[in-house]
Amino acid sequence: MEEDFESILSKLDRKKIERLEKDSEIYKIMARVFDTSTLLTLYRLINRGVFDVFYGNISAGKEANIYCALDKNGNYVAAKIYRIATSDFKNMHRYLVGDTRFKRVPEDRRGIIYTWTSREFKNLQQAYAAGVPVPRPIDHEKNVLAMEFIGEDGVPYPLLKDVKPKNPKKTFEILVDSVKKLYQEAEIVHSDLSEYNVMLTPDPVLIDFSMGTDIKNPMAEQLLMRDIQNLVRYFRKLGMKTPEPSGIFAEIVK
């Protein structure tokens, strides 16, 4: 049974809560977007130092908002918060069922979204441990995920869709190598890789692992091919000659 609002507040560091509340605009926006349970989850993460100060909203997708924040040591972190009320939990459930790492997938909206968040954190852990260029996972609880902020001084690096790489050949090679490491060493497939989910630092960093699944998923090879085709399509648009997707696929799954 979840503790109520007052019970949680009585255990938290009031100074940290007051610091969040001082930025009234951010606090009001978050209070409008997220339910009480999510705000309590944020307070618990604040209390254990994962977040200390929140800044603006970096992006707002169909299911989640991403905020820029500082941790207790003054380091920038990214907070990804899945919205309980508006997330497409039925689609999430469909993708979770095929992931063999999850023996039991909840049926209720909140449980599905919590599992979805947990899966993204696990995907980042496996990718990071394999040496794939991804944001370092920091912590997660319920529908909130904390990870390394990819940017400088609170400003995120651009997406591949918005900025052409200075060295397309090198960028393409790094991305193909990343997809290979994901499959062979991390044993996962990104499943949603495109220019929309790559940041340039200027070297590429893969982001948004919410769709990532293990390679034992019956759909894994189909999803891997789609990732490869998306990369090839983008770089061919830049005028670059690339190997055929089938050749890249064969090299990865051999």
Side-chain angles (χ1 to χ4, degrees), residues 46-99:
I46 289 168
N47 199 45
R48 61 181 190 248
V50 177
F51 306 126
D52 193 30
V53 178
F54 270 82
Y55 293 111
N57 191 5
I58 300 171
S59 68
K62 289 185 290 186
E63 269 92 28
N65 289 33
I66 301 180
Y67 289 87
C68 174
L70 293 179
D71 66 12
K72 65 179 180 180
N73 298 315
N75 301 309
Y76 284 102
V77 296
K80 185 171 187 176
I81 307 174
Y82 281 95
R83 297 187 298 275
I84 301 295
T86 60
S87 291
D88 186 355
F89 73 100
K90 291 182 180 178
N91 192 50
M92 290 177 173
H93 183 273
R94 183 166 63 89
Y95 277 96
L96 284 170
V97 167
D99 194 322

Side-chain angles (χ1 to χ4, degrees), residues 203-244:
D203 285 340
V205 173
L206 280 61
I207 61 169
D208 194 354
F209 275 76
S210 60
M211 295 275 289
T213 191
D214 71 318
I215 60 174
K216 294 178 183 177
N217 187 328
M219 292 182 62
E221 291 193 356
Q222 177 184 337
L223 294 168
L224 172 63
M225 178 58 86
R226 186 175 71 181
D227 284 350
I228 295 168
Q229 288 172 334
N230 284 342
L231 291 180
V232 168
R233 171 191 50 76
Y234 173 81
F235 283 92
R236 284 182 176 175
K237 277 187 177 180
L238 297 183
M240 180 180 158
K241 291 184 178 180
T242 72
E244 288 298 319

Side-chain angles (χ1 to χ4, degrees), residues 43 138 247:
Y43 284 151
I138 297 171

Side-chain angles (χ1 to χ4, degrees), residues 14-250:
R14 291 299 308 179
K15 289 183 180 178
K16 290 181 179 178
I17 294 172
E18 287 165 5
R19 183 177 294 184
L20 177 62
E21 291 176 337
K22 277 179 184 177
D23 191 337
S24 59
E25 287 308 307
I26 296 295
Y27 183 77
K28 286 175 184 175
I29 290 169
M30 292 175 74
R32 283 199 301 269
V33 174
F34 303 114
D35 60 9
T36 301
S37 175
T38 299
L39 292 174
L40 292 175
T41 300
L42 287 170
Y43 284 151
R44 284 191 292 271
L45 289 165
I46 289 168
N47 199 45
R48 61 181 190 248
V50 177
F51 306 126
D52 193 30
V53 178
F54 270 82
Y55 293 111
N57 191 5
I58 300 171
S59 68
K62 289 185 290 186
E63 269 92 28
N65 289 33
I66 301 180
Y67 289 87
C68 174
L70 293 179
D71 66 12
K72 65 179 180 180
N73 298 315
N75 301 309
Y76 284 102
V77 296
K80 185 171 187 176
I81 307 174
Y82 281 95
R83 297 187 298 275
I84 301 295
T86 60
S87 291
D88 186 355
F89 73 100
K90 291 182 180 178
N91 192 50
M92 290 177 173
H93 183 273
R94 183 166 63 89
Y95 277 96
L96 284 170
V97 167
D99 194 322
T100 62
R101 293 172 297 177
F102 297 90
K103 304 302 180 185
R104 290 185 177 180
V105 178
E107 297 292 335
D108 64 293
R109 174 188 292 271
R110 195 172 291 273
I112 289 169
I113 294 169
Y114 291 172
T115 304
W116 190 259
T117 307
S118 175
R119 182 171 78 153
E120 183 165 12
F121 184 78
K122 186 175 183 65
N123 287 337
L124 285 171
Q125 283 184 314
Q126 290 178 220
Y128 189 79
V132 179
V134 302
R136 178 177 60 85
I138 297 171
D139 202 351
H140 78 290
E141 183 175 331
K142 294 186 175 179
N143 58 319
V144 181
L145 170 64
M147 57 192 154
E148 176 187 6
F149 182 85
I150 306 299
E152 292 184 16
D153 299 324
V155 179
Y157 284 118
L159 293 172
L160 186 60
K161 76 177 182 70
D162 297 322
V163 177
K164 292 181 181 178
K166 292 182 179 178
N167 188 333
K169 185 175 185 294
K170 178 186 175 185
T171 302
F172 179 75
E173 289 172 351
I174 292 174
L175 287 170
V176 170
D177 183 64
S178 296
V179 172
K180 186 176 182 178
K181 279 185 177 178
L182 278 176
Y183 190 88
Q184 296 183 353
E185 299 179 37
E187 297 188 340
I188 58 175
V189 177
H190 186 284
S191 306
D192 193 28
L193 189 57
S194 73
E195 63 270 29
Y196 289 82
N197 287 327
V198 175
M199 299 180 83
L200 293 178
T201 68
D203 285 340
V205 173
L206 280 61
I207 61 169
D208 194 354
F209 275 76
S210 60
M211 295 275 289
T213 191
D214 71 318
I215 60 174
K216 294 178 183 177
N217 187 328
M219 292 182 62
E221 291 193 356
Q222 177 184 337
L223 294 168
L224 172 63
M225 178 58 86
R226 186 175 71 181
D227 284 350
I228 295 168
Q229 288 172 334
N230 284 342
L231 291 180
V232 168
R233 171 191 50 76
Y234 173 81
F235 283 92
R236 284 182 176 175
K237 277 187 177 180
L238 297 183
M240 180 180 158
K241 291 184 178 180
T242 72
E244 288 298 319
S246 58
I248 299 170
F249 176 88

